[in-house]
Amino acid sequence: MASEHDHLSETHIVGEDTQQWIVRVDDCPALEQRHISHVGVGDAAVPYRIVRTRLSGAYIHGALGGEGRMLLDGRWRTMRRNMMSFAPAHGLHAFHAVPESRWQYCWLRYLPSAPRSVVGTIAPIMQHFDPEPMKHAILGLHSEVFQGQGDTASCVMWVDTIERYISRFADPWRRDPRIVAVFDAVMPTLEQHWTIEEMAELAHVSTEHLRRISLKVFGRSPMQQLTQLRMQHAAHLLATTDVPVEEIAGRVGYQSPFAFSKTFKRMKGVSPSHFRQHSRA
C-alpha cells in the first residue's frame, strides 16, 4: 500500500530570508565525543523546507517562537513556542516554515553511531517543553567556537550542558526506578520472549500498575513500548548491516519472519526489504 507521503524526496532548502547559527562536528571535537553531528539555532521563513526520507541520526528540535510544520511519525503537526520533538533515526522526517510567519527554533542531530540513533526508549514524540535553555547553550558554544578562543574545556562545558538538558526531555523514564529496572533489562535482550508479567516482576508492581506507569512515562503500554524498541532496532540493522531479514526478525524477538514483516510495515509504512533498499539508496 502506498503512503500518502511517498511523493516526498530528499530536500534541503534554506532560502535567503532564513538565518542559522550552526556548529558542526568538524568545527568542534567535543561534539564528536558525544556522537553529535551538529547543533544550531535558526530563524526561518518561507521557502525554508527540509525533508529527510531516511534520517540517519536521531534528531531533537525545539520551537522558540513563531510557527512551523513538522512531519513526525507519519503526521503533519503544527509546532509553536515551547514545543520540542524527538525523531528517531531511520524514519521519514520533514519540516518547513509557513507563509506569513517566521519560525524560531533550535536543534541537535546525532551521528548514526550515537546510542540514541541505534536504539532508544522513546518513539517519535512532540510535547510541551521549554527549549530556551538549549538555545542559550548552543549559542554559547557557537560563540566560543567562532568568536572566542575555541577553548576545549569551555566547548566541553557547553556540549555537556546541551546534552544534560536534552536528557530531561528525552529520558523522563530515567526518573522512575521501576521503569529503569524494566527497560535496562529489556533493551539488551530484545530477542527474548518478554511478557508483561515478567516486566511487572522486575518493577515489583502489579501488571496493571506497570501499565499505568508506562502510559504516563511513554504514552504507551509496556508491550507497545517493547514493540517500538524492537522495530527501532530492526530499522537500524536494516539500514546499517547486510544481516538477512529472517535473522533480524529473530534478533528482535520474532520467531516468524512473516509476523515481523507485518509488524514492521504497520509501524514504518514499508516492508523491511523496501526499507533497506531505500536506506541504501
Side-chain angles (χ1 to χ4, degrees):
M1 181 184 298
S3 164
E4 63 178 299
H5 307 303
D6 282 350
H7 67 284
L8 294 175
S9 59
E10 202 76 16
T11 305
H12 189 101
I13 301 171
V14 176
E16 295 181 356
D17 203 22
T18 292
Q19 293 180 292
Q20 297 190 110
W21 296 263
I22 304 173
V23 184
R24 303 183 187 280
V25 66
D26 292 341
D27 305 317
C28 177
L31 291 176
E32 186 173 16
Q33 295 170 8
R34 295 301 186 90
H35 300 274
I36 296 171
S37 170
H38 55 276
V39 297
V41 174
D43 183 356
V46 171
Y48 179 70
R49 184 176 185 85
I50 306 293
V51 178
R52 301 186 182 99
T53 55
R54 288 289 177 264
L55 183 65
S56 61
Y59 188 90
I60 307 281
H61 194 284
L64 300 161
E67 180 179 315
R69 295 277 287 166
M70 179 170 289
L71 176 61
L72 190 68
D73 200 20
R75 292 192 292 129
W76 282 105
R77 314 182 195 199
T78 298
M79 198 170 187
R80 299 187 179 94
R81 177 179 173 83
N82 288 351
M83 298 182 74
M84 284 187 69
S85 65
F86 174 88
H90 312 303
L92 174 64
H93 185 227
F95 45 91
H96 63 82
V98 297
E100 301 180 5
S101 176
R102 298 197 67 87
W103 187 24
Q104 295 81 39
Y105 51 85
C106 57
W107 79 89
L108 179 150
R109 183 172 176 177
Y110 285 100
L111 292 165
S113 59
R116 291 193 198 279
S117 298
V118 177
V119 62
T121 50
I122 61 175
I125 187 173
M126 182 183 292
Q127 64 185 30
H128 289 281
F129 198 89
D130 181 11
E132 197 74 21
M134 178 177 161
K135 177 196 81 170
H136 290 297
I138 292 172
L139 291 178
L141 178 65
H142 187 277
S143 178
E144 182 61 38
V145 170
F146 295 108
Q147 282 86 44
Q149 302 293 321
D151 176 67
T152 300
S154 297
C155 290
V156 169
M157 178 197 72
W158 286 120
V159 173
D160 184 59
T161 301
I162 295 166
E163 263 277 82
R164 285 177 180 271
Y165 192 75
I166 283 176
S167 291
R168 293 186 183 180
F169 166 69
D171 300 327
W173 66 283
R174 284 285 177 190
R175 300 181 201 137
D176 192 317
R178 297 164 297 185
I179 291 292
V180 170
V182 173
F183 287 99
D184 273 357
V186 166
M187 284 193 290
T189 56
L190 295 174
E191 75 282 359
Q192 288 190 21
H193 179 68
W194 284 97
T195 66
I196 192 170
E197 288 77 16
E198 291 170 329
M199 294 182 186
E201 186 175 347
L202 287 171
H204 301 292
V205 297
S206 69
T207 56
E208 187 54 37
H209 194 183
L210 180 62
R211 283 193 185 93
R212 289 197 296 269
I213 297 171
S214 183
L215 286 169
K216 180 180 179 181
V217 172
F218 300 122
R220 296 180 298 281
S221 72
M223 300 309 291
Q224 289 171 333
Q225 176 65 15
L226 173 61
T227 301
Q228 171 63 39
L229 289 170
R230 284 172 165 163
M231 295 305 107
Q232 192 171 329
H233 189 51
H236 173 75
L237 292 173
L238 288 164
T240 61
T241 74
D242 293 318
V243 175
V245 172
E246 294 77 11
E247 185 176 337
I248 291 175
R251 288 192 188 186
V252 296
Y254 285 80
Q255 294 182 340
S256 165
F258 174 77
F260 162 71
S261 295
K262 185 177 179 181
T263 302
F264 189 91
K265 186 171 184 178
R266 173 172 58 83
M267 296 186 67
K268 297 293 184 180
V270 295
S271 68
S273 57
H274 191 197
F275 182 93
R276 168 170 275 168
Q277 178 184 350
H278 281 259
S279 295
R280 301 301 172 86

